[in-house]
């Protein structure tokens, strides 16, 4: 078990550019979550998938943000026309959907730190 | 709406001291789950514990212990005999139905030798 993997770890981009981040969850996990964390704050929920279905999106996820999980395995988060306010750590987590006797804690990746200049 | 409050922004202790991190939560759900995560400088959130709303038993795991009190909506975390490696930001979080986590703002713990 290699844990949740995120790529890239760091991204610096110019305002107005598009960026895409990738998350590879723990292989047997069917739920995948995206969170955003700004300096001095706790992570804030953005969206989550169960298998390939996107089940919930936060109001924080503006029209410039889109997330996909096409085959129910890895996921991508794209930000179009980046703004300075998008600068943050983007965290991915995965878990198993609840069932009797199953541990369903979310396990987090190391995050992608985005800086928009 | 769900909310988690961690009033302590930063705590500094000397190694071997005991330290308690406070967490107060708000929810209207009758079934919910409480978590603590540790975030070291590397950035990865490390799961420490999960508690469900029907289980108010305190738990001890090595130097870590947790005190869950529904009457005061609190889920406090105590580290006994703190060590330098305990230095990190600690987050308390709340969820219903194992869906999204609602995090507090975190408490930065600095343990000096």
């Amino acid at each position: 078990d290699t844990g949740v993997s995120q790529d890239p770890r760091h991204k610096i981009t110019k305002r107005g550019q598009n960026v895409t981040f990738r998350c590879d969850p723990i292989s047997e996990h069917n739920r995948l979550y995206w969170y955003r964390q700004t300096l001095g704050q706790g992570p804030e929920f953005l969206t989550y998938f169960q298998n390939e279905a996107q089940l919930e999106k936060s109001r924080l996820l503006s029209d410039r943000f889109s997330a996909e999980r096409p085959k129910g395995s890895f996921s991508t988060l794209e930000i179009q026309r980046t703004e300075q306010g998008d600068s943050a750590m983007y965290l991915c987590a995965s878990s198993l959907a609840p069932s009797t006797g199953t541990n369903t804690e979310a396990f987090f990746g190391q995050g992608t730190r985005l800086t928009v200049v | 709406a769900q909310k988690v409050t961690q009033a302590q922004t930063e705590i500094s202790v000397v190694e071997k001291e005991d330290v308690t991190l406070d967490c107060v939560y708000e929810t209207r759900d009758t079934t919910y789950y409480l978590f603590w995560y540790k975030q070291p400088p590397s950035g990865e959130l490390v799961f420490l514990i999960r508690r469900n709303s029907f289980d108010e038993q305190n738990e001890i795991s090595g130097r870590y212990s947790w005190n869950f009190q529904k009457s005061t909506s609190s889920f406090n975390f105590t580290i006994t005999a703190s060590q330098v490696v305990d230095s990190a930001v600690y987050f308390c979080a709340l969820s219903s139905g194992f869906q999204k986590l609602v995090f507090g703002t975190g408490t930065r713990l600095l343990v000096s030798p």
Side-chain angles (χ1 to χ4, degrees):
Chain A
D1 182 357
T2 57
V4 178
S5 176
Q6 292 189 245
D7 182 69
R9 292 289 311 281
H10 303 273
K11 178 71 176 178
I12 300 174
T13 191
K14 291 184 179 178
R15 190 174 52 184
Q17 297 293 306
N18 299 344
V19 294
T20 300
F21 310 140
R22 177 179 169 123
C23 172
D24 288 272
I26 293 172
S27 57
E28 62 268 26
H29 285 182
N30 50 7
R31 282 196 174 175
L32 187 147
Y33 307 80
W34 285 99
Y35 289 82
R36 181 172 70 186
Q37 185 178 19
T38 54
L39 205 60
Q41 299 297 314
E44 296 173 293
F45 170 78
L46 293 178
T47 186
Y48 91 94
F49 295 82
Q50 182 156 322
N51 301 313
E52 64 275 9
Q54 189 172 18
L55 297 185
E56 187 174 347
K57 291 197 294 186
S58 162
R59 293 176 205 169
L60 292 175
L61 215 64
S62 76
D63 291 345
R64 297 184 297 105
F65 287 70
S66 62
E68 293 183 345
R69 194 182 183 199
K71 297 181 181 178
S73 55
F74 73 91
S75 175
T76 57
L77 177 68
E78 180 183 18
I79 308 175
Q80 295 182 328
R81 305 180 303 281
T82 52
E83 303 172 355
Q84 287 190 320
D86 297 331
S87 296
M89 175 80 86
Y90 290 84
L91 292 163
C92 177
S94 69
S95 71
L96 283 167
S99 64
T100 302
T102 303
N103 282 334
T104 56
E105 294 80 28
F107 293 86
F108 284 79
Q110 290 187 299
T112 294
R113 183 170 295 284
L114 173 66
T115 303
V116 181
V117 297
Chain B
Q2 298 184 324
K3 184 178 179 182
V4 175
T5 301
Q6 295 180 256
Q8 303 151 309
T9 305
E10 185 170 308
I11 301 175
S12 293
V13 298
V14 176
E15 213 170 14
K16 298 184 184 177
E17 286 185 19
D18 299 346
V19 58
T20 295
L21 310 181
D22 298 333
C23 172
V24 174
Y25 62 92
E26 297 175 29
T27 181
R28 294 179 184 170
D29 296 321
T30 54
T31 301
Y32 53 89
Y33 302 86
L34 295 163
F35 302 79
W36 277 94
Y37 282 86
K38 174 182 179 180
Q39 189 174 43
S42 60
E44 182 177 350
L45 282 159
V46 178
F47 167 77
L48 295 178
I49 190 172
R50 177 195 75 201
R51 257 295 178 257
N52 72 51
S53 51
F54 298 111
D55 183 2
E56 284 194 73
Q57 280 193 333
N58 291 334
E59 182 158 337
I60 297 174
S61 175
R63 297 184 296 108
Y64 295 169
S65 62
W66 291 270
N67 184 331
F68 176 27
Q69 293 193 340
K70 285 180 75 171
S71 60
T72 56
S73 298
S74 65
F75 185 43
N76 296 337
F77 173 29
T78 297
I79 302 175
T80 303
S82 59
Q83 299 176 1
V84 172
V85 293
D86 295 327
S87 296
V89 181
Y90 291 86
F91 290 97
C92 181
L94 167 69
S95 79
S96 299
F98 284 100
Q99 295 180 26
K100 62 185 178 186
L101 291 164
V102 175
F103 285 86
T105 51
T107 298
R108 180 178 299 278
L109 175 65
L110 299 171
V111 183
S112 55

